[in-house]
Structure formats: structure tokens, C-alpha cells
Amino acid sequence: DSMKMYSDSAINFIGIVTSIDTVTIYGLVDSIKTITIYVYDTLFNPLTTHNAYGKQIEDLHFSPLDLYRKVSKFENPFDFMEESDVMHPLRKGYEEDFHLAKEYSPILQGPAGRVFQFPNAPWSRRVSGTFSNWIAQEEPEKAHALLIPNRDNSYLVSVRSPLAHPVGADQLCSQFPTGGGRVAAAGINQLPETEVALFLQKFEAIFTQNVRK
């Protein structure tokens, strides 16, 4: 769904620009630059960003070095998107991962926010950034957290403060030994399984307090 939205937006944008009857050569060049940047930001950048999330190279659809080699062969981004063997597997992987993520319901949901938990799997780690952004935008008045198991039975935790009131994430995560970050977005590298309940309690307490302010 999200990739279709990107594609439709890019096509509509290009249609608007190319429907102009009279432009100066400088205006045309500027329009081409704008289209190129827009297409990159809406079609290619989300896919490469998604591919960058992982604990190890094996988690990724393409290693950074392989992806660089494939991309660097092209001077024109439109040629790359049409001719490269990268776009289809990146887009397919993105859509499949996001579909899996959307199957999960919150393990905690209330006025202050939502907390999700994914399994220990490569797709979980790949989609973590994209999914965290999506749920934050879906309910901007609420805080959000995502827990993904580490190999040592602890959890990697990502916390986003409400977009409408972006404070509290650092306050929450800094209360745990491996936690820290910014007021709007923070995390915990290794949350012990025995402290998940405590984390959920603190999540509710801190963000409920911020909602009341």
C-alpha cells in the first residue's frame, strides 16, 4: 500500500510538471532536477533505507557493497529504476516485510500509546524503522514502542514520542542501563526479558503524564 502511494504520487507529480505548455530552458532543467529528487525520495530512498536495517549482513536483501556496485553503474536514476535488477527484489521485499508487520497487534494499547512486539526474524529487523515511522504517523497523538528479541533473550527496543508532542522517549529509555537517545526518539539496546513488564509500566506512566500536561 505504501509503495503504491509513492508510485502514484510520483506519477501525478510528473504529470503535473510535463503538462506545462511553455517553460524556459532553465525552468525545464529545474523541473527535471525536481522530478529526479522527488522520484528518488519517494521510490528509491524508502527501499534502500529499509534494506539498511539489520543486525548482520545476512538480514539484508542486498549487502551495502553489492547495492552500491549495482547502483553506481547508472548515471540516470530513471534508467536505473527501469533496467536494474535491484528495484524489483527491493520493492517485493519491502512489501512482504511490511505485510508481515501489519499482521501484529499491540501488546499494550491505551490513551498514552501503543507497544508492539515482533519475533526474532530478519524481516522484523528490516522493517523496524519503516514500521515505527508508519505507526507514529498513523496515530500522531500517541507514543509508540517496538520490541524485537535479541539472541541473548533480551529485547531491542525502539521508542517514539508522540509526533504531536515529541517529548518523553529519552526520559523512558534512560531509566534502563543500555537505553538512551533523543526526546523524540530513543531506544534500549538490551532490555532483559524480566524487565519487559517494568518497561510497559514506565511507558504508560511517562506518556500518560505527558498527555495530561
Side-chain angles (χ1 to χ4, degrees), residues 3-57:
M3 286 309 302
K4 184 178 186 301
M5 175 187 69
Y6 288 135
S7 300
D8 291 346
S9 298
I11 291 170
N12 291 336
F13 184 85
I14 293 171
I16 291 171
V17 173
T18 55
S19 67
I20 299 174
D21 294 328
T22 305
V23 294
T24 65
I25 185 62
Y26 296 106
L28 179 59
V29 170
D30 286 342
S31 296
I32 292 172
K33 288 180 179 177
T34 301
I35 292 171
T36 302
I37 294 170
Y38 188 84
V39 169
Y40 173 82
D41 285 343
T42 56
L43 292 181
F44 185 55
N45 192 39
L47 300 181
T48 54
T49 299
H50 175 78
N51 185 71
Y53 280 83
K55 276 283 188 180
Q56 52 197 12
I57 295 295

Side-chain angles (χ1 to χ4, degrees), residues 34-84:
T34 301
I35 292 171
T36 302
I37 294 170
Y38 188 84
V39 169
Y40 173 82
D41 285 343
T42 56
L43 292 181
F44 185 55
N45 192 39
L47 300 181
T48 54
T49 299
H50 175 78
N51 185 71
Y53 280 83
K55 276 283 188 180
Q56 52 197 12
I57 295 295
E58 290 75 19
D59 285 344
L60 310 180
H61 296 300
F62 292 93
S63 74
L65 182 58
D66 287 344
L67 188 58
Y68 168 75
R69 287 170 175 165
K70 290 177 179 293
V71 173
S72 62
K73 296 177 181 178
F74 296 85
E75 293 184 4
N76 187 317
F78 295 100
D79 290 341
F80 167 76
M81 286 186 287
E82 182 176 347
E83 301 172 15
S84 172

Side-chain angles (χ1 to χ4, degrees), residues 52-131:
Y53 280 83
K55 276 283 188 180
Q56 52 197 12
I57 295 295
E58 290 75 19
D59 285 344
L60 310 180
H61 296 300
F62 292 93
S63 74
L65 182 58
D66 287 344
L67 188 58
Y68 168 75
R69 287 170 175 165
K70 290 177 179 293
V71 173
S72 62
K73 296 177 181 178
F74 296 85
E75 293 184 4
N76 187 317
F78 295 100
D79 290 341
F80 167 76
M81 286 186 287
E82 182 176 347
E83 301 172 15
S84 172
D85 60 354
V86 168
M87 287 297 291
H88 176 71
L90 279 180
R91 183 181 294 112
K92 184 173 184 290
Y94 177 101
E95 292 172 348
E96 289 177 349
D97 291 350
F98 203 74
H99 176 76
L100 289 170
K102 289 170 69 175
E103 294 294 316
Y104 283 78
S105 299
I107 61 171
L108 175 71
Q109 183 167 269
R114 299 180 293 175
V115 178
F116 293 81
Q117 181 177 323
F118 286 168
N120 181 9
W123 72 263
S124 298
R125 294 183 283 273
R126 285 194 302 264
V127 82
S128 59
T130 304
F131 183 77

Side-chain angles (χ1 to χ4, degrees), residues 107-189:
I107 61 171
L108 175 71
Q109 183 167 269
R114 299 180 293 175
V115 178
F116 293 81
Q117 181 177 323
F118 286 168
N120 181 9
W123 72 263
S124 298
R125 294 183 283 273
R126 285 194 302 264
V127 82
S128 59
T130 304
F131 183 77
S132 293
N133 289 333
W134 180 70
I135 57 177
Q137 293 168 9
E138 185 182 44
E139 295 197 33
E141 300 291 335
K142 293 185 177 183
H144 293 87
L146 174 62
L147 283 66
I148 299 176
N150 292 314
R151 291 182 176 179
D152 61 358
N153 294 323
S154 66
Y155 286 89
L156 177 66
V157 182
S158 172
V159 178
R160 304 290 177 92
S161 300
L163 292 179
H165 185 56
V167 295
D170 61 331
Q171 180 186 353
L172 170 61
C173 294
S174 63
Q175 296 187 38
F176 297 88
T178 62
R182 298 173 286 112
V183 293
I188 304 170
N189 290 329

